[in-house]
Amino acid sequence: MTKKAAGAGHGADAGQARKTGTTAKTGATAKPGSTASPATDTRTVPTLAGDARITWYHSTGEAHAVLALGHGAGGGIEARDLRALAAALPATGVTVALVEQPWRVAGKKVAPAPKTLDSAWRELWPELCSPGLPVVAGGRSAGARVACRTGRELGAGAVLALSFPLHPPGKPEKSRAGELTGTGLPVLVVQGGRDPFGRPGEFPEGTRIVEVPDGDHGFAVPKRAETGQEEAMAVLTDGVAGWLAGLSLPPVADRR
C-alpha cells in the first residue's frame, strides 16, 4: 500500500433538487468487508439527458457522511469495487449512493461525451445532498473523472477515485493527471497494481494512493496471484474506510 499527501478545499452548494420517484427495497445489514447488501432504496432523478438512478445503501447506525459513487464507461453499478464499498461502509456510519448515469439507465452501450456526464452529475447532485450530510464525490474510471472535474464546484468534501484512468493503455504521454491535481479537494486514489490505465507508481508526487496488489482495472486478480480476490477487496474497503474516517468534513451548513 502506497500513501502520499493530498490537497484540500471546498466549493459552493448546488441548487435545489428535482422531484424524484422512490422505490423501496430491503436487504441484509452488512459488516465491514462483507459482500451482503444493507437495506436500500432506489430513486429516479430526471435530468436533461434522461432519467438517472440512485441506489442508496443506508448507514446501519448514525450516518455522518454520504459517499456518492458513479460507474465507469464500460459497465454499471454492478462493478465489484462499488458493490464491495456499498456492502462494507454503511456499518461504519457512511451512507453509500450508487449512481447510474442516464445512458446506462436507458440501456445504451456507449457512454456520451464527458460534458454530458458532468451535466447529468450536476443535475442529480442535489438529491445526493438531500440527507443533509457532507458528501464525498467518487466513482470508478470515467465516474472518477466526473467526480474530479465537478467536485469542488458542487461542494463535495473530498473525492474518491477508483481505478482512475490516468492515461489510455500504452499511451502514458496522454496523461489526465491534471484532473486529479486540480480538484482543490482531498483525493484518495485506489488503483490496481497492474492497471493498464495507470499503475500506482505512475501517479504524480503528492497523490495519496491505496494500491490493490495484483489488481487490474476492475480490481480482478489472477487466480495464481499471491493476493486472493477477497483479500484484494478487503484492501480496497479497509483503505477507503480508514481514509473516510480521517477526513475532517465540515457540516453542510458551513460550506454555504
Side-chain angles (χ1 to χ4, degrees):
M1 182 182 299
T2 304
K3 290 186 178 179
K4 303 176 183 177
H10 300 291
D13 283 332
Q16 294 184 350
R18 292 171 174 265
K19 293 182 180 179
T20 63
T22 302
T23 303
K25 296 183 180 180
T26 303
T29 299
K31 296 180 179 180
S34 170
T35 56
S37 295
T40 68
D41 69 83
T42 301
R43 305 174 192 177
T44 299
V45 184
T47 78
L48 292 176
D51 285 348
R53 188 161 53 214
I54 303 174
T55 302
W56 292 87
Y57 292 75
H58 300 291
S59 172
T60 55
E62 183 177 355
H64 57 80
V66 169
L67 175 61
L69 296 172
H71 54 78
I77 61 171
E78 72 280 358
R80 62 169 56 82
D81 50 339
L82 302 183
R83 289 298 185 186
L85 290 169
L89 293 181
T92 70
V94 177
T95 290
V96 177
L98 299 187
V99 179
E100 295 174 85
Q101 283 268 0
W103 69 272
R104 185 75 181 180
V105 175
K108 298 179 181 178
K109 295 183 178 180
V110 179
K115 68 177 183 179
T116 301
L117 298 176
D118 291 356
S119 295
W121 186 260
R122 290 185 182 99
E123 288 186 78
L124 60 83
W125 184 262
E127 178 66 23
L128 297 170
C129 296
S130 63
L133 298 169
V135 182
V136 174
R140 63 165 286 101
S141 196
R145 297 183 65 195
V146 172
C148 286
R149 291 191 297 258
T150 63
R152 187 173 184 178
E153 68 174 274
L154 293 174
V159 172
L160 172 63
L162 305 164
S163 294
F164 186 83
L166 186 63
H167 57 70
K171 297 181 179 180
E173 71 279 3
K174 296 186 176 181
S175 176
R176 300 173 181 127
E179 292 182 352
L180 279 174
T181 59
T183 63
L185 296 168
V187 177
L188 177 68
V189 174
V190 183
Q191 203 78 359
R194 58 186 185 93
D195 191 332
F197 288 83
R199 300 194 178 197
E202 298 180 62
F203 281 78
E205 191 67 29
T207 306
R208 180 167 179 169
I209 300 179
V210 171
E211 178 177 351
V212 178
D214 301 310
D216 64 8
H217 193 59
F219 296 113
V221 299
K223 292 182 179 180
R224 296 183 179 181
E226 293 184 4
T227 305
Q229 192 64 62
E230 184 176 347
E231 181 184 356
M233 287 297 94
V235 169
L236 185 151
T237 56
D238 290 350
V240 172
W243 174 70
L244 289 171
L247 288 175
S248 179
L249 296 173
V252 173
D254 289 354
R255 301 203 310 273
R256 294 184 185 277

